[in-house]
Amino acid sequence: MKLTFISDTHYQHNKLQLESGDVLLHCGDFTRRGGLDDVENFAKFIGAQDFKKKIIIAGNHDFSFEDKRRQKAEKYLSDHGIIYLNDSGVEVEGFKFWGSPVQPEFFDWAFNRKRGQELRDHWELIPEDTDILITHGPAYGILDLCADGRRVGCHDLLVTIEKIKPKIHAFGHIHEDYGVVKKQGTIFVNACNVDEHYRMKNSPIIIEI
């Protein structure tokens, strides 16, 4: 199965160079600040891409997926054949995908949760047989390095990943630490397409499993 990972496009999706494949996955922050016009435009673009399945989670910029506009926002995606995951999963050709938009609290953005039990409540929902885990933010210490030298990933997410051992953990959020690493049998993918200055810079990441 050919998986294509993108993230943090911030309404610059039309600049992406996408090939075809089996599953296209977006790890959140596809809008500027969650406007429904942004969502509709993005949904039309993604819906037209040449992939058998498209799987999306929201990110901290995608406010309309957490406020009173949620039903409309989610419908734009489903109307274009896009699978939206929010602490939920889907199985594709025998592979089990799970997606969650939450990340450690940072100012007053969408899907912020306090470190500790509030985040653990979400990670405890992840099934132990998950093959591909998609979150907006990274686990602690893995592709989570900010330009100022801080590591801002979630410790409790790392504990969960070490327990369930998914084949892939894909995420975004930290624009400046794009890339792929493999640790303890899991492939970690920071798929951010824009850099820390919100310039479209990084290519989609393709992995075959």
Side-chain angles (χ1 to χ4, degrees):
M1 180 183 287
K2 183 179 178 181
L3 307 178
T4 300
F5 296 94
I6 55 178
S7 188
D8 294 77
T9 48
H10 292 281
Y11 203 63
Q12 299 181 58
H13 45 266
N14 61 325
K15 297 178 183 177
L16 289 169
Q17 299 295 318
L18 291 169
E19 301 174 5
S20 59
D22 295 307
V23 184
L24 176 64
L25 303 103
H26 196 298
C27 306
D29 278 3
F30 43 87
T31 67
R32 288 167 289 195
R33 290 186 65 89
L36 289 177
D37 288 345
D38 284 18
V39 176
E40 183 178 22
N41 186 289
F42 171 79
K44 288 178 179 178
F45 174 84
I46 293 296
Q49 301 307 307
D50 187 17
F51 292 83
K52 296 176 184 176
K53 300 288 184 182
K54 295 110 178 188
I55 300 174
I56 305 294
I57 65 168
N60 59 293
H61 278 251
D62 304 320
F63 283 99
S64 55
F65 287 83
E66 196 176 36
D67 63 23
K68 63 183 181 181
R69 300 170 291 175
R70 176 178 174 177
Q71 287 187 337
K72 286 184 179 179
E74 292 183 7
K75 190 173 187 301
Y76 280 136
L77 298 183
S78 62
D79 283 351
H80 289 87
I82 299 166
I83 299 166
Y84 174 66
L85 300 181
N86 182 357
D87 285 333
S88 58
V90 65
E91 185 170 333
V92 179
E93 296 183 18
F95 290 100
K96 295 181 179 180
F97 296 76
W98 185 270
S100 178
V102 302
Q103 78 281 158
E105 193 172 33
F106 178 71
F107 293 111
D108 192 24
W109 292 96
F111 297 105
N112 275 198
R113 301 292 185 269
K114 288 182 171 61
R115 292 182 185 269
Q117 191 59 52
E118 201 168 290
L119 276 168
R120 284 196 295 272
D121 287 343
H122 292 271
W123 308 145
E124 288 168 2
L125 298 173
I126 302 171
E128 292 190 4
D129 60 352
T130 297
D131 295 303
I132 295 93
L133 175 62
I134 314 150
T135 63
H136 183 56
Y140 181 79
I142 303 175
L143 301 175
D144 68 334
L145 186 64
C146 294
D148 61 7
R150 291 178 302 137
R151 289 198 173 274
V152 296
C154 179
H155 290 83
D156 288 309
L157 178 56
L158 179 61
V159 170
T160 300
I161 290 168
E162 289 175 342
K163 177 184 176 184
I164 68 174
K165 301 185 185 307
K167 291 178 173 62
I168 297 173
H169 174 219
F171 50 92
H173 195 42
I174 307 304
H175 299 179
E176 51 266 62
D177 215 2
Y178 164 89
V180 179
V181 297
K182 187 172 184 178
K183 291 192 175 186
Q184 298 181 353
T186 295
I187 299 170
F188 293 86
V189 179
N190 181 332
C192 285
N193 296 111
V194 302
D195 64 14
E196 62 268 34
H197 303 293
Y198 288 79
R199 297 174 300 201
M200 182 61 73
K201 178 181 178 182
N202 302 318
S203 300
I205 292 173
I206 298 171
I207 295 176
E208 295 202 22
I209 59 172

